[in-house]
């Protein structure tokens, strides 16, 4: 009897692989973060990843048509990518990969709450319980007292991380409403969101400083570009593609839960690099992951 790889298994593996790619990309972004401001980092990411998504869209057969849904997708990109990802990079710079990624656990319950408010989705007692557990796990970790001679977590970093989660949740709910009401496929939606967010970023960066683009190009030439390129390819391009593969094969709730394992992939990586993650942080991450599982499954 031969064993076939089912669509469900493909979807589950794709989501876990995407989660591992996000963990790796977060470390690489953190490594490159000292050379760029959050806005510059976000812009470089968009300039590299947007053409890659366009190539995939054309290769798979673009479903883009001019409609009112495109404007809502563009707005979701501005909120989730222009603002949200910039806040995430600011949090990453202040908190480090572990705590910055852990604060992203706030996005799923926030998205569920906004879908309940704006899209008339229902929330059961079990789902509310899952959201509360997720929030409790995150708050338990960020409220941990720093060990002796260790700096406390940056308050501004926590605020940036919370703002990133709120913006990402808002953008995702808006994008989801468009996907439910149109025939736009997920890859095309990702392209529109990323392109819109990147165009606004280019305008903001261009007006923020004289010769801003020349400074970014000069900075890119002065550093080893491979960590940053690796982060963009793994975290923004391949992870998004794998996310869509997962959604196409399993239910979105299971996809979201498996994607939320990303911080856990940082644990073995941190051990190899001899970076300490406290037991409280690990327990808090597992509690939050359990809450997300209850929320979506």
């Amino acid at each position: 009897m031969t064993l076939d790889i089912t669509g469900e298994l493909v979807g589950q593996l794709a989501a876990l692989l995407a989660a591992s790619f996000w963990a790796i990309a977060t470390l690489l972004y953190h490594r490159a973060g000292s050379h760029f401001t959050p806005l510059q980092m976000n812009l470089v990411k968009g300039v590299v990843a947007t053409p890659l998504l366009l190539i995939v869209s054309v290769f798979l057969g673009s479903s883009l048509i001019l409609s009112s849904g495109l404007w809502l997708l563009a707005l979701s990109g501005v909120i989730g990518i222009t603002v949200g990802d910039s806040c995430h990079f600011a949090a990453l710079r202040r908190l480090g990969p572990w705590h910055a990624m852990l604060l992203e656990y706030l996005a799923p319950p926030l998205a569920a709450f906004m879908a309940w408010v704006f899209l008339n989705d229902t929330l059961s007692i079990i789902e509310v319980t899952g959201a509360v557990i997720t929030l409790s796990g995150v708050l338990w970790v960020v409220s941990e007292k720093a060990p002796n001679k260790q700096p406390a977590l940056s308050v501004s970093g926590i605020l940036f991380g919370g703002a990133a989660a709120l913006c990402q949740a808002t953008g995702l709910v808006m994008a989801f409403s468009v996907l439910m009401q149109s025939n736009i496929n997920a890859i095309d939606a990702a392209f529109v969101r990323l392109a819109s967010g990147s165009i606004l970023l280019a305008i903001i960066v261009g007006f923020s400083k004289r010769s801003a683009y020349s400074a970014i190009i000069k900075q890119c030439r002065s550093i080893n570009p491979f960590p940053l390129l690796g982060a963009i390819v793994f975290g923004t391009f391949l992870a998004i593609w794998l996310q869509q593969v997962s959604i196409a094969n399993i239910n979105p709730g299971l996809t979201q839960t498996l994607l939320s394992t990303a911080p856990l992939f940082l644990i073995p990586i941190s051990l190899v690099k001899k970076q300490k993650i406290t037991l409280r942080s690990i327990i808090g991450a597992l509690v939050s992951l359990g809450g997300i599982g209850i929320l979506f499954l």
Side-chain angles (χ1 to χ4, degrees):
M1 183 177 179
T2 59
L3 292 175
D4 295 325
I5 299 179
T6 64
E8 284 191 6
L9 181 58
V10 170
Q12 292 166 7
L13 291 176
L16 288 172
L17 191 58
S20 68
F21 282 176
W22 266 317
I24 294 170
T26 298
L27 292 172
L28 294 174
Y29 276 129
H30 182 249
R31 180 177 173 180
S34 60
H35 303 288
F36 300 93
T37 67
L39 285 176
Q40 290 174 336
M41 178 84 76
N42 204 0
L43 178 58
V44 172
K45 176 201 74 173
V47 168
V48 175
T50 300
L52 293 176
L53 283 175
L54 178 59
I55 291 170
V56 174
S57 173
V58 173
F59 178 77
L60 296 179
S62 176
S63 62
L64 289 176
I65 56 173
L66 189 61
S67 67
S68 58
L70 288 184
W71 297 108
L72 188 57
L73 275 178
L75 180 58
S76 78
V78 168
I79 294 172
I81 294 171
T82 304
V83 182
D85 284 1
S86 295
C87 287
H88 173 70
F89 287 133
L92 184 61
R93 197 171 195 173
R94 291 163 172 79
L95 300 176
W98 174 259
H99 288 98
M101 183 168 278
L102 190 64
L103 284 168
E104 292 187 3
Y105 275 156
L106 296 175
L110 287 172
F113 175 75
M114 282 186 281
W116 172 62
V117 173
F118 297 109
L119 302 181
N120 295 319
D121 279 5
T122 58
L123 277 178
S124 67
I125 294 298
I126 293 177
E127 289 170 329
V128 172
T129 301
V132 171
I133 291 173
T134 300
L135 179 61
S136 300
V138 173
L139 292 177
W140 193 55
V141 173
V142 299
S143 64
E144 182 179 13
K145 290 184 178 180
N148 292 334
K149 298 182 180 180
Q150 292 289 328
L153 288 179
S154 163
V155 174
S156 63
I158 294 173
L159 292 176
F160 273 121
L166 178 61
C167 290
Q168 289 164 5
T170 303
L172 286 174
V173 169
M174 294 169 68
F176 180 76
S177 68
V178 175
L179 289 172
M180 293 298 100
Q181 298 172 18
S182 69
N183 294 322
I184 298 176
N185 63 47
I187 286 292
D188 288 335
F191 165 72
V192 171
R193 296 185 73 231
L194 187 59
S196 303
S198 300
I199 289 170
L200 181 57
L201 270 170
I203 295 172
I204 293 172
V205 171
F207 278 105
S208 66
K209 187 178 179 182
R210 193 173 182 180
S211 303
Y213 303 136
S214 299
I216 294 175
I217 294 172
K218 183 178 179 180
Q219 191 65 31
C220 289
R221 289 175 175 172
S222 66
I223 65 170
N224 179 3
F226 293 107
L228 182 55
L229 288 174
I232 294 169
V233 171
F234 279 99
T236 306
F237 173 57
L238 290 177
I240 287 177
W241 197 348
L242 287 167
Q243 181 187 39
Q244 310 315 318
V245 170
S246 179
I247 291 173
N249 286 280
I250 58 178
N251 73 73
L254 180 55
T255 294
Q256 182 62 60
T257 302
L258 293 175
L259 290 174
S260 297
T261 61
L264 302 183
F265 284 98
L266 289 177
I267 296 174
I269 297 173
S270 297
L271 291 176
V272 170
K273 297 181 68 175
K274 297 182 180 179
Q275 296 175 345
K276 186 176 180 181
I277 295 178
T278 65
L279 180 61
R280 177 168 175 165
S281 290
I282 295 174
I283 293 174
L286 291 172
V287 169
S288 296
L289 179 61
I292 291 173
I294 294 172
L295 178 63
F296 285 115
L297 299 182

